[in-house]
Amino acid sequence: MASRPTISKAVIPAAGLGTRFLPATKATPKEMLPVVDKPAIQYVVEEAVSAGLDDVLMITGRNKRPLEDHFDRNYELESALQKKGDASRLAKVQESSDLATMHYVRQGDPRGLGHAVLCAAPHVGHEPFAVLLGDDLIDPRDPLLQRMIEIQEQHGGSVIALMEVAPEQIHLYGCAAVEATAEGDVVRISGLVEKPDPADAPSNYAVIGRYVLAPQIFDVLRETEPGRGGEIQLTDALQQLATDEKLGGPVHGVVFRGRRYDTGDRGDYLRAIVRLACEREDLGPEFRTWLRGYVGQELSEG
Ligand code: UTP
């Protein structure tokens, strides 16, 4: 049996404005946009739970009430389905409310990801904890968080997730300067820079939305001035930890080579839906047949 992880808390920042998805996100959180038939955020909470983290703190803000409702009971709907004897839909409704112990805190002003993480300090206390961005989907068949927790347990400090991207894409991400370690998928982080110009990027390793953080990150974040875009950047605080180990131990990176979708980006969101729908047992066979025909005829004509 796997030993109990020392990390039990997951923090999910979901207070961003979601401007890339307007107007859909004017009154609906982008994390509630459906990926096939589940809101994106449910995949993220499921990922935390399968990595052994069943205490989940969501950082929310204005217009984010549907997030809380989704992970709560809906007695009216449940009793209507019960009366109809629709057990399978009832199970779907109850699934999200039984997943994890959910907590919520409001960010107030969305002053950046670093500020959102700082809002978790009273709940997290003095333990290492995980951060999962609510609009980043990691395919459950390519587990990442478990590996990050393992590396944190081995080395202490903090662990970030990295993905190799094309050099012309690096300006869209935080970027890490890295040193190799004895393990092929693990690097040591020597520096971090948020959304660099490709000419200044120290590597093509992009930071993606999973972190296992030492609690000392809170002390650093309290002192972190607004950076790029006038926001308090988590990357800037991690840069401090990476360059001064005395603050909170080393920062390592786990290089992820699996499937990931940024559901806050319209193109990636569409790709996620098509891929996941194709792979679903219930919808996949019919959808794949339709898609083959569509790609063969409509797209070749266009
Ligand atoms: P994004 O950079 O994707 O920003 O934030 P956003 O506002 O959500 O989306 P766009 O770019 O305007 O479309 C990365 C993550 O950090 C959270 C977001 O909810 C997202 O999960 N975040 C960002 C906060 O919780 N608070 C903030 O102040 C900023």
Side-chain angles (χ1 to χ4, degrees):
M1 210 175 77
S3 64
R4 199 174 171 278
T6 52
I7 298 167
S8 63
K9 289 180 183 162
V11 173
I12 304 185
L17 296 176
T19 54
R20 283 171 294 168
F21 245 110
L22 283 168
T25 47
K26 185 178 171 190
T28 305
K30 69 173 171 185
E31 295 82 5
M32 285 303 293
L33 295 177
V35 177
V36 189
D37 52 7
K38 265 196 296 195
I41 192 76
Q42 189 174 332
Y43 292 87
V44 177
V45 174
E46 285 170 355
E47 182 191 336
V49 171
S50 34
L53 316 177
D54 55 9
D55 178 308
V56 176
L57 174 71
M58 211 170 276
I59 315 294
T60 68
R62 275 182 292 281
N63 286 340
K64 299 284 180 168
R65 194 55 204 272
L67 288 168
E68 294 187 33
D69 290 341
H70 184 71
F71 293 99
D72 201 355
R73 303 293 299 268
N74 183 334
Y75 291 107
E76 204 181 351
L77 186 55
E78 288 176 41
S79 92
L81 291 168
Q82 230 147 18
K83 275 194 198 123
K84 275 194 193 170
D86 194 338
S88 87
R89 290 204 173 97
L90 179 63
K92 281 185 185 168
V93 168
Q94 289 173 335
E95 208 181 321
S96 53
S97 47
D98 295 340
L99 258 179
T101 309
M102 302 296 298
H103 307 270
Y104 301 90
V105 62
R106 282 195 171 217
Q107 192 185 0
D109 283 333
R111 292 168 55 201
L113 178 57
H115 180 249
V117 170
L118 187 52
C119 294
H123 182 82
V124 167
H126 300 287
E127 310 157 22
F129 63 105
V131 172
L132 295 84
L133 297 196
D135 50 6
D136 230 337
L137 290 197
I138 301 293
D139 195 297
R141 291 163 298 178
D142 302 320
L144 166 64
L145 200 54
Q146 285 91 327
R147 177 72 177 143
M148 294 173 72
I149 291 172
E150 206 175 286
I151 297 302
Q152 200 282 337
E153 285 170 351
Q154 268 174 37
H155 299 277
S158 299
V159 181
I160 63 175
L162 300 172
M163 190 182 72
E164 283 185 81
V165 300
E168 63 274 15
Q169 295 282 307
I170 198 73
H171 69 283
L172 301 169
Y173 297 88
C175 174
V178 304
E179 290 158 14
T181 71
E183 292 178 273
D185 63 335
V186 181
V187 289
R188 202 177 170 105
I189 308 294
S190 54
L192 283 158
V193 46
E194 184 62 22
K195 300 192 171 77
D197 286 335
D200 304 329
S203 73
N204 64 339
Y205 283 112
V207 179
I208 58 171
R210 298 292 179 269
Y211 307 82
V212 178
L213 299 175
Q216 290 87 346
I217 190 87
F218 297 128
D219 301 328
V220 179
L221 281 168
R222 282 187 196 100
E223 305 294 320
T224 303
E225 297 289 330
R228 211 183 156 96
E231 296 194 334
I232 298 176
Q233 298 286 356
L234 182 60
T235 307
D236 293 345
L238 282 163
Q239 152 74 2
Q240 290 263 342
L241 288 184
T243 49
D244 187 353
E245 255 186 43
K246 291 191 298 301
L247 291 174
V251 181
H252 284 88
V254 168
V255 180
F256 182 63
R257 299 194 170 92
R259 287 155 284 194
R260 166 209 177 244
Y261 314 98
D262 173 6
T263 55
D265 171 81
R266 289 170 302 171
D268 232 18
Y269 173 75
L270 293 174
R271 283 185 280 277
I273 292 177
V274 171
R275 262 173 106 149
L276 295 178
C278 283
E279 290 159 10
R280 281 269 296 255
E281 269 177 33
D282 52 349
L283 300 166
E286 208 182 314
F287 185 64
R288 278 197 304 268
T289 307
W290 172 82
L291 190 62
R292 237 177 255 121
Y294 179 68
V295 171
Q297 291 160 25
E298 306 259 345
L299 290 190
S300 60
E301 283 163 21

